[in-house]
Amino acid sequence: MKYNFDEIINRRGTNSYKWDTTAPGVDAMWVADMDFRTAPCITEALRRRVEQGIFGYTFVPDEYYRATVGWFSRRHRWTIDPTHIIYTSGVVPAVSAIIKGMTRPGDKVIVQTPAYNCFFSSIRNNGCQLSANRLRYENGVYSIDFEDLERRAADSEAKVLLLCNPHNPSGRVWTRAELERMADIAMRNGLFVISDEIHCELTYEGHDYTPFASLDEDIARRCAVCVSPSKAFNIAGLQIANIIAADSEVRRKIDRAINDNEVCDVNPFGVIATIEAYTNGEEWLDALRKYLWGNYVVLRDFFHRELPSYPVTDLEGTYLAWIDCSAAEIGADKLERLLENEAKVRLNAGTMYGDGGEDFLRINLACPRELIEKALPRIARVLKNQEAVKNA
């Protein structure tokens, strides 16, 4: 293998949020960052920059825009006008700034739950109200409740539809037909659409990512898309993201909000890493996706064989497995604590992702396969013991 994703790298003692806030002796399989080194082209470019030894204020060069435009054209058949790109320090600050720019306090923001937990704080911090369009969950498959979405979109207080595409935590990659139907509902009801597409590079065979803004020109003018190389290339700490907004007045409002929120300056290392990722990172990314899929297959097959009462949803995108633990009958929060204390594995309780997540656990699969293979029997022992207690 050209890239060694099997390498075990000790991240403790590096101020890793994922590992250094996890108790000693417990495997961290929760926060959505990866335990792999980033692409070598990125590491080498950063090394060259470090050797210069001066880390002053930076500006974003034309090369950055060319790399971003070229990447989305090659990988996703999406033609982006470079003047439509607004850079900022991360996708969460981006989402928050767009909400600030496109709403007033008291407005409602529609979100498909269970959803990425930072959506909720971004809505709350801007004085807006959450309108939860809970996803349908039937026979282990998630789909959009379009009838409920129609009702919520027709609410005069609803101003924004906030999407996650691909969806975290369900692992769905919305099809073009699903996105077109959501766009139709949004346009008919005057909603502005924010699409968080940070996981767009992490999709698997048979599931193509469709950029929301690529649906048509009218839709592009009524939306803002948030993208970043941070998830796919494991560079979240370098703090870089882009907002793509085709309408000049929308960009003006977003730019004003970004400056109000003081997230208009970016890390020089983030600029360099983005250029390298989008220029030279494709081979590494394709190898990563194959490895991640292999990790998912290991986990899925283990649960199917050893824990059939705990269905694993189909993973179409992201590296986050979503497991139905309703059979335990104790709720996700208690189960999360039980697994941390007894299986020595820290996962995410689905409760944090809002309505519909109360009986689910999220497992981060972006780690060497050995860690997964060692953790699974411990998880199984705890879940089987819980079933025995329940049935006693």
Side-chain angles (χ1 to χ4, degrees), residues 29-259:
M29 301 178 71
W30 60 301
V31 175
D33 73 7
M34 300 193 288
D35 293 326
F36 310 124
R37 299 186 197 277
T38 190
C41 63
I42 294 175
T43 303
E44 182 55 34
L46 295 176
R47 182 180 293 113
R48 292 194 299 267
R49 181 65 178 81
V50 166
E51 288 174 354
Q52 197 254 359
I54 301 173
F55 311 111
Y57 299 116
T58 193
F59 77 97
V60 176
D62 290 342
E63 184 182 7
Y64 177 94
Y65 297 97
R66 290 196 298 271
T68 301
V69 169
W71 177 269
F72 281 94
S73 176
R74 290 193 311 276
R75 297 283 294 194
H76 306 302
R77 304 174 302 282
W78 180 21
T79 301
I80 299 173
D81 184 327
T83 66
H84 296 173
I85 299 173
I86 304 170
Y87 60 80
T88 187
S89 58
V91 165
V92 173
V95 168
S96 184
I98 301 168
I99 292 174
K100 184 183 184 75
M102 303 307 297
T103 66
R104 294 178 179 178
D107 287 346
K108 291 181 180 178
V109 177
I110 302 171
V111 175
Q112 272 115 18
T113 62
Y116 176 45
N117 54 294
C118 286
F119 283 1
F120 307 135
S121 57
S122 291
I123 293 167
R124 183 176 61 250
N125 292 343
N126 282 290
C128 293
Q129 304 176 66
L130 169 68
S131 178
N133 171 221
R134 181 169 172 169
L135 295 173
R136 295 183 186 275
Y137 177 68
E138 298 173 327
N139 301 317
V141 177
Y142 278 94
S143 61
I144 297 160
D145 186 339
F146 284 106
E147 291 75 19
D148 181 69
L149 180 58
E150 286 271 13
R151 289 192 295 271
R152 293 180 181 279
D155 184 343
S156 61
E157 294 182 323
K159 303 300 180 184
V160 166
L161 172 60
L162 174 53
L163 303 179
C164 197
N165 173 41
H167 188 266
N168 171 20
S170 76
R172 277 297 317 276
V173 176
W174 304 125
T175 65
R176 186 179 186 90
E178 287 171 316
L179 293 172
E180 287 176 337
R181 189 169 176 185
M182 284 190 278
D184 175 65
I185 292 171
M187 298 304 106
R188 282 191 285 103
N189 289 280
L191 299 181
F192 187 82
V193 178
I194 305 170
S195 189
D196 171 0
E197 303 185 358
I198 195 171
H199 292 276
C200 67
E201 312 303 341
L202 300 168
T203 60
Y204 303 108
E205 188 173 352
H207 302 285
D208 290 333
Y209 152 70
T210 301
F212 189 84
S214 71
L215 295 175
D216 71 34
E217 292 183 4
D218 288 339
I219 292 169
R221 286 191 290 270
R222 288 292 302 160
C223 76
V225 172
C226 304
V227 294
S228 172
S230 62
K231 280 289 180 280
F233 290 92
N234 204 26
I235 55 172
L238 300 186
Q239 298 185 316
I240 193 82
N242 290 312
I243 300 166
I244 318 298
D247 184 83
S248 60
E249 179 61 14
V250 168
R251 288 198 305 278
R252 185 192 67 78
K253 291 178 179 179
I254 295 171
D255 188 65
R256 179 68 267 158
I258 284 176
N259 281 272

Side-chain angles (χ1 to χ4, degrees), residues 347-367:
L347 312 176
N348 283 117
T351 315
M352 69 189 298
Y353 305 108
D355 192 20
E358 299 85 356
D359 286 313
F360 287 80
L361 291 173
R362 195 188 78 168
I363 302 181
N364 181 346
L365 298 175
C367 62

